[in-house]
Amino acid sequence: MKVASVIVDVPSRQTDRPFDYLIPERWQGIIQPGMRVTVPFGARRLQGFVVDVKDHSDIKQLKPIEHVLDVVPVLNEELLDLGRYLTETTLCFAISAYQAMLPAAMRAKYEKTLRLTDEEKRERLPDEVKPLFAGRTEAAWKEVEAAGLWRAAQKAVQQGVLEAVYKVKEKAGKKTVKHAALAIPSEQAKQELGSLPARQKEVLSFLLEKGKAASVAELQAVLGVSSAPLKALVDKGFVVLNDVEVYRDPYEHRTFQPSEPPALTQAQEAALAKIAASVRAGEHRTFLLYGVTGSGKTEVYMQAIDEALRQGKEAIVLVPEISLTPQMVERFKSRFGSKVAVLHSGLSVGEKYDEWRKIHRKEVQLVVGARSAVFAPFENLGMIIIDEEHETSYKQEEMPRYHARDVAIYRARRHSCPVVLGSATPSLETFARAAKGVYELLELPERISDRGLPDVHVVDMREELRSGNRSMFSRRLLDELRRRLERGEQAVLLLNRRGYSTFVMCRSCGYVIRCPHCDISLTYHRAGERMKCHYCGHEEPLVPRCPSCGSEHIRFFGTGTQKVEEELTRLLPKARVIRMDVDTTGRKGAHEELLSRFAAKEADILLGTQMIAKGLDFPNVTLVGVLAADTMLHLPDFRAAEKTFQLLTQVSGRAGRHELPGEVIIQTYTPDHYSIELAARHDYRAFYQREMALRKAHGYPPYYYLTLITAAHEEAPAAAKAAEKIAAYLRKHLSHEAVVLGPVASPIARLHDRYRYQCMIKYKREPNLTAALKAVIDRYQADAAHGGVTITVDTNPYMMM
Ligand SMILES: Nc1ncnc2c1ncn2[C@@H]1O[C@H](COP(=O)(O)OP(=O)(O)OP(=O)(O)O)[C@@H](O)[C@H]1O
Ligand SMILES: [Zn+2]
Ligand SMILES: [Zn+2]
């Protein structure tokens, strides 16, 4: 008896374990761990992942597996184990962990086929399979299955002769190119040559000489022939025409100048030597590459990767989504050419799947991508790099709630290879570990250009108001902008908000209009005069009177990029402005287009939200202005100061990166706040000391760990009661060292029509934690069926709302 343990596709606590199924005889030896199957489950038929194959089950009456969805495993042993690690550490369901590792295209039900990978390999097809592919390069899975050829097909896939393809239907149209190839052995073709008319002879000799399939376009261009001779050869059965798939390469229309590595500075050299030594020794280590903005971290990454590739290994580079700019991609593509796959959210489902397949088929050795690229199915990893490691977008805010840093370190340990965390503003957690020697600290204390870091001026906006300036631009910022325009230099302006105006407030009574579902203030959008909720999408028309007191003095507070743009063009009519925010970058490719226009100096000022704060490297930018440095300081989040410091430092880092000296102006209503003062002085270490002292005093990470539990229900009392019960249970079952805070209403007290209450656990070491949390989840998952309370557990929260 052969038995498969299967994790079924039902994300719930009750089904979160492997179920045993019988492997029918025809699939014995074929089904392996890491393949997906369909199985009967109660009255339903479900997809699932095979996690184990064994000879025996304790269950008496096993149901058989119905279908096999993959020819070869889509998850290897390492990734299967990683899934187990994620379920333990983030308390997610195993099915959620496995699905997070695969491209979306494979999660849906798509038509599947087997395809010949290469016309030349046709001869290597197993004999019994050959007829299925006669005169074509693809066969549907159903046919293979019906013909009972599964085993033979699997072998062919393992040998790289056939490939399993999940057909993703896309509007973009099919990406295939017609190819011509010999349909007869070359010996026979040579003999036929003599009897052919001249044109046909030319075509046949061309194919003979080439020794493999040639695109029809190429053939016609080289020989200058029409399609007639080709058609004649096809009719005679000497030549076949095939549609050969080309990858949907999002960068296909781009050419990349090959780049040679520059000679490194001493600091770069020292850092690289340590990393390269660890690559060569094949030992796991975690490095923190702490280098100021513009210090050449990326160059160190690239040369370290080069070392890994020379060792015949593979590498992953993680970059935050918003700094995965065309510039960044270009740097890696120029250096590593076709060895690179790129994964980010701007790609279509099909494009992502193509990139994933390049990795799975080992056609690339390097992946540059956002968070989920950490799951790239490489089997011989030599290095993982996390650029801008402090970015909170490395934490996924839905199940599985993993942090890419933890996954990277887990995988690197398994592969015995180094992890490099790079940042100009490392997260407190990471710097603290480096200070303790858990990570190895490598420093790049100076910029590459000998100009040094830009001068930063803090402007007190309260003063501006007192002296009669009601504009959102201080006099100093405006003066400096004018100066840049005169000199033909460029400026970057950061506004940490989106939309026309942020919230709508009554000046008479102070009433702020809020979302009826989410309890956050609505944002005014000028298009259509509407107010929108940025959490749930609720929208309504702008009100002419205060709903609370009836006053007409209802006006907008805060400023959005659109409003700033209007004021800017009013004050500086000659300035050419490019605005970059979620509204102007929604369309595919818009982000790239706006940046390349700015790079081509088609604008003087780049105005935008956080998305412009990182990674950009424009030689002509000599002024950076921050319009309101305080917007993030007042969020209900213990990391508010850290986030403010990071953002200000990063955006300042955009100025004066090359020959021209840079200058930064920060406008704020709280100029004395240490995060603003220290960012202005470029003093990361002082900020670190100060912030660590506060974290210690208030019991926050990195001194303590946190776990956040949120209970939500349509009725506030039900949510509150559940949260209270949870808090009581935890207090009883956790040790005295753990502190359970709350329950309290969440900062966002209502989301998607559900009231939210939360409690927070602070702890240093808590052996009972996992068991207690699992018990809580069990209890409430079971309850959910009746009571409707949903609970979420976040074992390492970054969103405190
Ligand atoms: N050894 C070197 N010689 C000459 N130029 C270099 C060298 N290293 C890096 N550069 C150049 O210096 C500039 C800054 O380097 P890079 O972008 O790698 O810095 P970074 O530390 O990654 O920056 P940031 O964190 O601010 O994005 C780039 O234009 C890069 O091409
Ligand atoms: Zn009012
Ligand atoms: Zn809402």
Side-chain angles (χ1 to χ4, degrees), residues 503-525:
F503 52 103
V504 181
M505 185 171 115
C506 170
R507 273 186 295 165
S508 304
C509 76
Y511 182 80
V512 174
I513 299 180
R514 290 168 171 271
C515 172
H517 316 290
C518 299
D519 203 39
I520 61 158
S521 49
L522 292 179
T523 303
Y524 173 67
H525 283 247

Side-chain angles (χ1 to χ4, degrees), residues 262-265 268 291-301 303 328 331 387-388 423-424 444 447-449 614-617 650 653-654 657-658:
L264 296 181
T265 63
Q268 284 176 317
V292 299
T293 55
S295 58
K297 295 184 288 292
T298 312
E299 190 55 48
V300 174
Y301 304 151
Q303 301 205 16
M328 192 70 167
R331 286 177 79 173
D387 188 29
E388 313 283 9
S423 178
L444 304 178
R447 277 194 159 180
I448 292 284
S449 82
K614 298 183 186 77
L616 305 182
D617 189 14
Q650 293 292 343
R654 297 312 107 206
R657 290 168 67 87
H658 298 260

Side-chain angles (χ1 to χ4, degrees), residues 514-522 532-539 748 750-753:
R514 290 168 171 271
C515 172
H517 316 290
C518 299
D519 203 39
I520 61 158
S521 49
L522 292 179
K532 288 186 190 167
C533 168
H534 280 186
Y535 286 99
C536 74
H538 168 87
E539 57 173 281
I748 298 169
R750 202 169 167 210
L751 189 62
H752 304 303
D753 283 326

Side-chain angles (χ1 to χ4, degrees), residues 1 3-4 19-21 54-60 62:
M1 184 168 75
V3 177
F19 290 88
D20 284 352
Y21 286 90
K54 50 194 185 180
D55 289 319
H56 170 79
S57 172
D58 294 333
I59 313 291
K60 289 259 154 52
L62 287 183

Side-chain angles (χ1 to χ4, degrees), residues 152-198:
Q154 183 183 45
K155 210 172 215 169
V157 170
Q158 280 159 349
Q159 291 166 348
V161 175
L162 288 180
E163 174 195 13
V165 179
Y166 308 81
K167 289 229 162 159
V168 183
K169 289 189 191 70
E170 284 196 290
K171 291 186 214 94
K174 58 174 189 219
K175 297 281 183 176
T176 56
V177 170
K178 269 252 180 297
H179 274 62
L182 289 182
I184 47 177
S186 41
E187 281 313 310
Q188 191 191 339
K190 276 180 198 152
Q191 286 164 15
E192 299 287 352
L193 277 180
S195 61
L196 289 173

Side-chain angles (χ1 to χ4, degrees), residues 548-594:
S548 173
C549 75
S551 159
E552 286 175 21
H553 296 288
I554 184 141
R555 56 167 266 188
F556 318 119
F557 268 75
T559 31
T561 42
Q562 211 175 327
K563 196 163 171 187
V564 175
E565 185 184 15
E566 282 171 13
E567 177 138 350
L568 202 55
T569 37
R570 192 173 58 78
L571 294 169
L572 304 169
K574 292 221 186 78
R576 298 163 303 163
V577 181
I578 287 180
R579 191 181 107 215
M580 244 172 96
D581 55 21
V582 264
D583 296 326
T584 64
T585 56
R587 194 169 44 81
K588 203 182 164 200
H591 191 240
E592 171 166 17
E593 189 187 309
L594 293 175

